Amino acid sequence: MPAVAGLSPEILAKYQPVIGLEVHVQLLTHSKAFCGCRNEYGGEPNTHTCPTCLGLPGALPVLNKQAVEYAVLAAKAIGCEIRETSIFSRKNYFYPDSPKGYQISQFDKPIAEHGFLIVPDASGADKRIGITRLHMEEDAGKSLHDGFPDSASRTYIDLNRCGTPLVEIVSEPDLRSADEVFEYLTKLKEILLYTGVSDCNMEEGSLRCDANVSVMLKDAKEFGTKAEVKNVNSFRYIRAAVEYEIERQIGVIEDGGRVVQESRLWNNAEGRTYSMRSKEQAHDYRYFPEPDLPPLVVGAEWQKQILTALPELPEARRARLSSEYGLSAQDAATLTTDRALGDFFEQAAKLAKSPKRVASILLSEITMRLRAVEIELGQSPVSLDGLVLAADLTEAGEISSKQLKQLLDSCFTEGRDFAFIYSRDKPQQISDTSAIEAMIDAAIAANPAQVAQFKGGKRTVAAFFVGQVMKASKGQANPAVLNELVIKKLDA
Ligand SMILES: [Zn+2]
């Protein structure tokens, strides 16, 4: 990324960036927030519409119950308190793709407040990022500025998205670097995906992020003036945009200027932000309670009922996988980044003799091959039973790790499950102890220096002899038998 004005590290170090995020998340409900229209990405323009989401006079909104339940689930998953009685308000502004002339949102009484996320800071330590509020609102339609023969002179409007249920999640200005922004968003997305309330697909706009960025001198008491970087469509770009914006603002101040409160757009091709419009103040929206919707009451009983659908969240699952299956922190972390991967592991781990073996085969051998052919776990040729069989055979020493790799290669090139390939190819395995002993003797005779090291107390050298015999046997020596015999021979 091009630096702004080549600011020196000394100058950058004088300033403290302060960042807060507003994240809009579309909810995966069947219908829209206030009408019965299909809530679905895409479709022929203006086909998922009705008088209510078109904002025709006299049409009345009716709140979608599923949207409320999803909002509560999302809020609880990020540690928020639920407000028993929340109020919908009109946020008034004109936008061509918002035909009512206002957006139904929540203002001073949102459905949830006071949450938090824990993210790693620069040193890797846990840092708590406050979440001010989570409120419900509706999405606007879309202005289509290109893709038509007369796009040079006209803009088209598609109102299919109009009225899609959203939650907006507003963080406290607790973030201090572009990396923390990246970590926060990654964590937030991971949690929301676990709850199943959104697909968080950034390319289709189901998760969108605006970043409020300001800088101040490190000993300053007050935050600087903030600029808002809007609608960046990947976490990587948001990190780059925030990084750029921090340096731009420091450059402005160092040049004796002042930062202007405004909205800015990120141009990824150029690696910089551009001024879009000066930012209106919140009171310009003339919020007032939506007269067509009664207060939303989510009582204790309903909350309890909703929360039965709240799954174990990634953080808790990570800790449990470590303690329950004896996995390393790293393996437990990788297995929980994706709920489906974690579920697949746990189902296999319950059937297999060694959960650790399952984790290692799944995370290295299977994941690597899935990545190489660019398919998802759901399309893997190796089924759950196949993984269990592979793990059990490897654990029992009936196939070597080299043989396992060959069998899995065949599974992926032929698109067959592990059980089929294994019973067809049943790798030759030498378990005859006298044959293995002979090979060990040969290896010991050929490597006196390593024998001396072993005798001198460096017992890890045993692995060297195991490797030599494996090579000599073309990977066919039974590893369990081999390991045992090598130690026995060396100790003799
Ligand atoms: Zn509608």
Side-chain angles (χ1 to χ4, degrees):
M1 249 356 105
V4 186
L7 295 168
S8 71
E10 292 74 31
I11 289 179
L12 292 174
K14 281 166 41 189
Y15 290 87
Q16 177 62 68
V18 175
I19 308 142
L21 296 177
E22 293 167 12
V23 177
H24 287 89
V25 182
Q26 288 182 343
L27 302 176
L28 274 179
T29 54
H30 299 297
S31 52
K32 292 185 179 180
F34 302 111
C35 63
C37 291
R38 210 155 12 125
N39 173 27
E40 193 181 278
Y41 178 77
E44 270 301 295
N46 301 307
T47 53
H48 306 163
T49 54
C50 72
T52 299
C53 58
L54 291 176
L56 301 186
L60 290 172
V62 177
L63 178 59
N64 182 334
K65 187 178 175 194
Q66 196 182 26
V68 176
E69 296 179 339
Y70 281 4
V72 170
L73 273 181
K76 275 294 186 182
I78 52 175
C80 287
E81 294 159 18
I82 306 297
R83 182 192 297 271
E84 195 167 303
T85 303
S86 60
I87 302 291
F88 284 98
S89 295
R90 286 190 185 180
K91 183 180 182 182
N92 297 285
Y93 61 94
F94 172 77
Y95 240 57
D97 50 22
S98 174
K100 291 199 297 288
Y102 60 86
Q103 176 190 28
I104 302 179
S105 182
Q106 294 186 312
F107 182 50
D108 53 347
K109 293 193 175 65
I111 189 165
E113 290 170 297
H114 312 309
F116 66 94
L117 285 181
I118 303 290
V119 303
D121 68 9
S123 70
D126 284 351
K127 177 172 175 182
R128 183 189 165 107
I129 307 297
I131 289 171
T132 319
R133 56 190 277 149
L134 175 149
H135 66 254
M136 300 181 69
E137 59 184 29
E138 58 178 338
D139 213 340
K142 267 190 218 170
S143 297
L144 308 174
H145 300 291
D146 39 40
F148 296 93
D150 52 355
S151 280
S153 57
R154 284 172 201 273
T155 287
Y156 288 79
I157 305 278
D158 176 10
L159 296 175
N160 281 351
R161 196 177 73 176
C162 216
T164 295
L166 294 177
V167 288
E168 180 174 340
I169 299 166
V170 182
S171 87
E172 293 289 315
D174 288 345
L175 297 151
R176 292 291 175 268
S177 71
D179 284 337
E180 286 183 10
V181 167
F182 185 86
E183 296 290 349
Y184 172 91
L185 291 170
T186 304
K187 191 57 85 64
L188 179 62
K189 180 177 168 186
E190 192 181 282
I191 291 174
L192 292 173
L193 283 175
Y194 258 72
T195 64
V197 304
S198 175
D199 61 17
C200 296
N201 184 331
M202 293 191 80
E203 270 142 50
E204 294 180 356
S206 22
L207 189 152
R208 310 195 290 270
C209 175
D210 302 333
N212 289 305
V213 182
S214 69
V215 299
M216 60 182 183
L217 283 168
K218 275 193 173 148
D219 53 2
K221 295 275 175 289
E222 273 178 41
F223 290 166
T225 305
K226 66 190 178 187
E228 183 186 38
V229 183
K230 290 192 80 76
N231 282 335
V232 191
N233 66 359
S234 91
F235 292 174
R236 232 157 28 88
Y237 294 166
I238 292 171
R239 174 157 62 186
V242 168
E243 219 153 78
Y244 173 89
E245 191 55 26
I246 291 168
E247 294 196 20
R248 183 191 70 84
Q249 293 184 12
I250 294 175
V252 167
I253 296 169
E254 285 289 315
D255 283 348
R258 60 176 197 93
V259 174
V260 182
Q261 181 162 344
E262 61 183 353
S263 295
R264 297 181 68 88
L265 282 180
W266 170 248
N267 182 315
N268 194 55
E270 295 176 32
R272 55 165 295 181
T273 61
Y274 280 96
S275 177
M276 185 167 89
R277 58 183 146 91
S278 74
K279 177 78 179 154
E280 20 344 23
Q281 294 293 311
H283 59 249
D284 283 346
Y285 290 124
R286 308 262 168 177
Y287 282 97
F288 63 84
E290 165 62 61
D292 292 335
L293 287 167
L296 168 60
V297 180
V298 187
E301 207 37 53
W302 191 15
Q303 283 185 42
K304 221 169 92 187
Q305 199 186 319
I306 295 169
L307 292 182
T308 57
L310 189 67
E312 182 184 30
L313 294 171
E315 208 66 51
R317 188 179 215 185
R318 223 158 274 164
R320 185 175 57 77
L321 289 191
S322 287
S323 63
E324 197 172 321
Y325 300 103
L327 302 184
S328 69
Q330 177 63 47
D331 283 358
T334 315
L335 284 168
T336 43
T337 48
D338 174 24
R339 188 173 166 185
L341 180 66
D343 290 349
F344 191 75
F345 163 74
E346 288 210 66
Q347 284 165 22
K350 286 192 167 66
L351 299 170
K353 294 195 179 75
S354 163
K356 278 172 95 162
R357 181 71 70 178
V358 171
S360 106
I361 295 177
L362 179 58
L363 290 179
S364 55
E365 304 299 337
I366 304 277
T367 306
M368 179 187 81
R369 286 172 177 79
L370 290 173
R371 228 176 264 149
V373 289
E374 293 177 349
I375 57 172
E376 299 289 322
L377 182 63
Q379 286 114 43
S380 170
V382 179
S383 68
L384 189 83
D385 291 339
L387 172 61
V388 172
L389 178 63
D392 284 352
L393 289 169
T394 315
E395 185 64 21
E398 286 179 39
I399 54 173
S400 66
S401 58
K402 188 173 170 197
Q403 287 167 339
L404 171 70
K405 285 176 200 288
Q406 287 165 345
L407 291 167
L408 289 174
D409 281 343
S410 301
C411 291
F412 275 78
T413 45
E414 298 177 41
R416 309 296 294 252
D417 203 351
F418 188 83
F420 173 86
I421 299 286
Y422 174 71
S423 62
R424 185 192 68 189
D425 296 357
K426 240 182 206 132
Q428 291 300 313
Q429 171 120 295
I430 306 169
S431 297
D432 170 12
T433 50
S434 61
I436 296 177
E437 276 180 320
M439 287 188 279
I440 298 173
D441 288 339
I444 285 177
N447 298 286
Q450 281 79 1
V451 174
Q453 282 177 4
F454 184 88
K455 302 261 186 222
K458 202 177 168 200
R459 299 187 64 85
T460 49
V461 178
F464 166 79
F465 288 99
V466 171
Q468 292 295 306
V469 174
M470 264 304 173
K471 214 155 126 194
S473 72
K474 300 192 169 61
Q476 291 176 354
N478 179 318
V481 176
L482 171 60
N483 273 309
E484 199 189 312
L485 288 176
V486 161
I487 298 285
K488 218 161 107 189
K489 288 261 176 197
L490 286 169
D491 275 335

